[in-house]
Amino acid sequence: MQAVLQADVGHRGVVLDPRTKIFLLFTIALFVLGGAGGDLLDRYVACFCMLPFVLFLLAKKWKRACIYLVIYLAAYGSFVYFGPRTTGIANFLLLAVCGILSRFLPSIMLGQYLIETTTVSEFHAAMNRMHVTEKISIPLSVMFRFFPTVAEEFASINAAMRMRDIRFGGKNAAKMIEYRMIPLMVCSAKIGEELNAAALTRGLAGDVRRTDICEIGFHLQDLIFFVLGLIPYVVCVVGLFQ
C-alpha cells in the first residue's frame, strides 16, 4: 500500500527542485509563521499563504488543495470578520484558534508538500549540491522515510483497533490511548532503528562521497517560484529605505 506521505514519483505533476521547495518553506516559516516584516507585510501575508494551495494543485493533489483552501479561508475570514466584533472570552478564543491556525497551517502544509513530492534520493542530492554537512543531511534523509512509515503503521494500528471495536463511540473507547498510542510508540522506536541501520548499510555515513543517480536541477517553474519567494524579502529591503 502506498504510504500516506511517501513521494509518488509517477504522479507528481509539475516537479520543482528540492532546493526551491526548501527555500519556499523557509520563506513561509519566516514571514508567515515568524511574522518577520511586521505591519509592512501584513497585506501580503494572506496572498502568500495561497502558495501551498497552488503547489498542491500543480502536484495533482486536488483534494488536499481544496481542504487546505477551505480551512485557511474559514480561519482567516473568521479572524478578520469576527475578531473586531467580539469581546471577552469569545474574542480571546477566536483570536487564539483562528489566528494560530492561519499562521501555522501554511507552514505545515508546505512541509507536507515537501515530503510528499520529494524522494529521499532527490533530497540527499539537493543537500550535496548545497554542500550541507552529512551530520545534518543524513538525519533529515532518515526523517523523510520515518514519517511516511509511521503514518502507514498508524493506519494499520487504527484498522486493527477498529476490528476490536476500540474507537470513539465503541464499547472499548476507554482503551484507545493504551491500545493505539503504545503500539505506535513501540513501532516508531523500531522504525527509527531500522532506518538508521538502512542508512548505514547504504553508506550514507561513509568517508567516501556518494554519487547520486537522480537528476535534479532548476527549470522555468523553479525560476518562477523563486521570484515569488523573493517578493517579501524585496519588500522588507525596500521598506528599510523608505
Side-chain angles (χ1 to χ4, degrees), residues 15-87:
V15 179
L16 297 179
D17 188 271
R19 289 165 289 182
T20 304
K21 302 173 190 177
I22 294 173
F23 170 69
L24 294 176
L25 178 60
F26 175 80
T27 302
I28 280 193
L30 179 63
F31 291 100
V32 178
L33 180 60
D39 297 336
L40 188 62
L41 287 174
D42 279 346
R43 68 186 69 177
Y44 303 104
V45 167
C47 296
F48 202 62
C49 288
M50 290 295 101
L51 186 58
F53 170 73
V54 175
L55 291 174
F56 276 124
L57 287 181
L58 295 177
K60 299 182 180 180
K61 298 184 181 296
W62 323 114
K63 182 178 180 181
R64 189 119 345 123
C66 293
I67 292 175
Y68 168 75
L69 182 64
V70 171
I71 295 177
Y72 178 78
L73 290 180
Y76 184 77
S78 300
F79 180 78
V80 173
Y81 182 79
F82 293 107
R85 293 172 173 80
T86 55
T87 57

Side-chain angles (χ1 to χ4, degrees), residues 84-102:
R85 293 172 173 80
T86 55
T87 57
I89 187 66
N91 180 263
F92 174 77
L93 293 176
L94 179 69
L95 295 180
V97 174
C98 296
I100 292 177
L101 187 61
S102 61

